[in-house]
Amino acid sequence: MDYLLQVKIGALVGLLLLTLFFGFIPARMKWFRETSGTETHRVVLSFISCFAGGVFLAACLLDIIPDYLSDINAELAARSVDTSFPLPEFIMAAGFFTVLIVERIVLNCRQDAMQGSDQEGAPLMRAKGHSHGKAISTNLEGSAHHVHMDLQAHSSFRSFMLFFSLSLHSVFEGLAIGLQTTDSKVLEICIAIVVHKSIIVFSLSVKLVQSAVPPMWVAAYVGVFAMMSPLGIAVGIGVIEAQLAAGVLIQAILEGLAAGTFIYITFMEILPHELNSPENQLLKVFFILLGFSVMAGLTFLG
């Protein structure tokens, strides 16, 4: 087993364990169950989310996109593909729209199902001990995402499937790690994803616990979300290790889809949600620049 493969497997295991760790902290600590989410919690998570946004922005613009464009252009040149159509950029756009369309379709289908239900607003995903019969709307990823889900409306299974679909882009995050060809790039992208996913899963777990969701469902949400990026890493490793005849081209295309996913996460989820909020604007910009600077420094030291 070569060193690069060892680094990727280490990233896979580390990402899985850290996501589970941060996800189960609120579920295991009584303090989180007794609070309703103080302003301090929200401000701190917002600043950390801004830092993660800067990290993702740097990883996207300074690492993933330049590497992808270099790989895909070299492969197209090797195959004598000469076209005026911007194919590399189109592949990135395909990755962007894939995540966008999947999320919008699932949310739209869920809303249609809720409107047509005879039990609209009935809390089928009941809390143990008490429930007031009201649907609890929660920001799915706290300060990291602006997607909302109704934890108690319709059914537990459909809520679970909604969350599963929103976790699909985590597969492409992991794919970006699995497809890298140098250990330094693996570590840089892994840092970006660890920061991002830790914030998301921590915020999600806090919201679930404070909404009195049964522990089994908390574990299910956290567990599925934790497995998505490692699954992407495994797929990326498999593509490279298979050494197919068209393996380099497949790798380059998957890199482009992953780059489009990073663009979506950065510019459609993290940054708009934080910067559209009027509180602490200058501090938020500072933490975005801080996250970007840290990753830029790592890239410069290379």
Side-chain angles (χ1 to χ4, degrees):
M1 183 183 298
D2 59 28
Y3 179 69
L4 178 60
L5 182 57
Q6 292 177 13
V7 173
K8 290 181 180 179
I9 293 176
L12 186 155
V13 175
L15 191 56
L16 176 63
L17 294 179
L18 284 172
T19 306
L20 289 173
F21 173 75
F22 283 104
F24 284 118
I25 286 178
R28 301 296 299 175
M29 292 182 65
K30 184 178 180 181
W31 181 69
F32 286 102
R33 293 194 296 272
E34 293 178 345
T35 62
S36 58
T38 64
E39 183 64 24
T40 302
H41 286 164
R42 289 189 289 270
V43 170
V44 171
L45 288 176
S46 177
F47 289 157
I48 297 176
S49 180
C50 289
F51 179 85
V55 169
F56 255 69
L57 184 61
C60 182
L61 297 180
L62 304 182
D63 282 332
I64 296 178
I65 291 180
D67 286 351
Y68 157 68
L69 291 176
S70 175
D71 292 343
I72 190 69
N73 286 327
E75 183 62 17
L76 292 177
R79 294 175 178 269
S80 301
V81 177
D82 187 13
T83 175
S84 59
F85 183 77
L87 184 60
E89 290 77 10
F90 179 81
I91 293 174
M92 282 195 295
F96 178 93
F97 283 112
T98 296
V99 181
L100 176 63
I101 291 171
V102 168
E103 291 190 350
R104 294 304 103 185
I105 287 176
V106 172
L107 287 175
N108 186 67
C109 291
R110 176 184 155 274
Q111 290 172 355
D112 291 342
M114 287 179 60
Q115 292 173 358
S117 174
D118 293 332
Q119 298 179 348
E120 182 177 356
L124 300 183
M125 189 173 175
R126 296 187 182 277
K128 291 186 177 181
H130 65 279
S131 177
H132 301 291
K134 294 186 294 184
I136 299 176
S137 179
T138 180
N139 188 308
L140 179 62
E141 294 174 352
S143 57
H145 281 247
H146 59 276
V147 179
H148 289 71
M149 65 178 290
D150 196 339
L151 288 174
Q152 292 190 334
H154 224 43
S155 70
S156 301
F157 177 74
R158 287 178 180 175
S159 294
F160 179 82
M161 290 304 296
L162 170 63
F163 179 70
F164 178 81
S165 68
L166 295 177
S167 299
L168 286 179
H169 65 69
S170 291
V171 176
F172 289 98
E173 293 176 1
L175 196 61
I177 294 177
L179 293 172
Q180 296 306 307
T181 55
T182 62
D183 55 305
S184 61
K185 296 295 183 185
V186 170
L187 294 176
E188 288 176 8
I189 298 174
C190 188
I191 290 172
I193 295 176
V194 164
V195 173
H196 179 60
K197 289 202 70 174
S198 297
I199 299 164
I200 292 172
V201 76
F202 184 86
S203 302
L204 169 71
S205 186
V206 168
K207 294 295 184 183
L208 292 174
V209 169
Q210 292 174 352
S211 299
V213 173
M216 179 184 70
W217 281 100
V218 175
Y221 279 92
V222 172
V224 169
F225 188 77
M227 289 188 294
M228 292 296 101
S229 289
L231 176 62
I233 296 175
V235 171
I237 292 175
V239 169
I240 291 182
E241 294 297 316
Q243 296 182 345
L244 303 174
V248 178
L249 180 61
I250 294 173
Q251 175 184 340
I253 293 174
L254 291 176
E255 284 179 352
L257 295 175
T261 302
F262 267 62
I263 294 172
Y264 178 88
I265 295 169
T266 303
F267 293 103
M268 295 290 288
E269 292 184 351
I270 301 178
L271 296 183
H273 177 70
E274 294 301 337
L275 295 180
N276 286 341
S277 176
E279 296 85 7
N280 303 306
Q281 285 287 309
L282 292 179
L283 282 175
K284 288 179 179 180
V285 172
F286 169 77
F287 278 99
I288 292 172
L289 289 174
L290 180 62
F292 186 92
S293 299
V294 169
M295 287 299 292
L298 290 175
T299 302
F300 179 76
L301 295 175

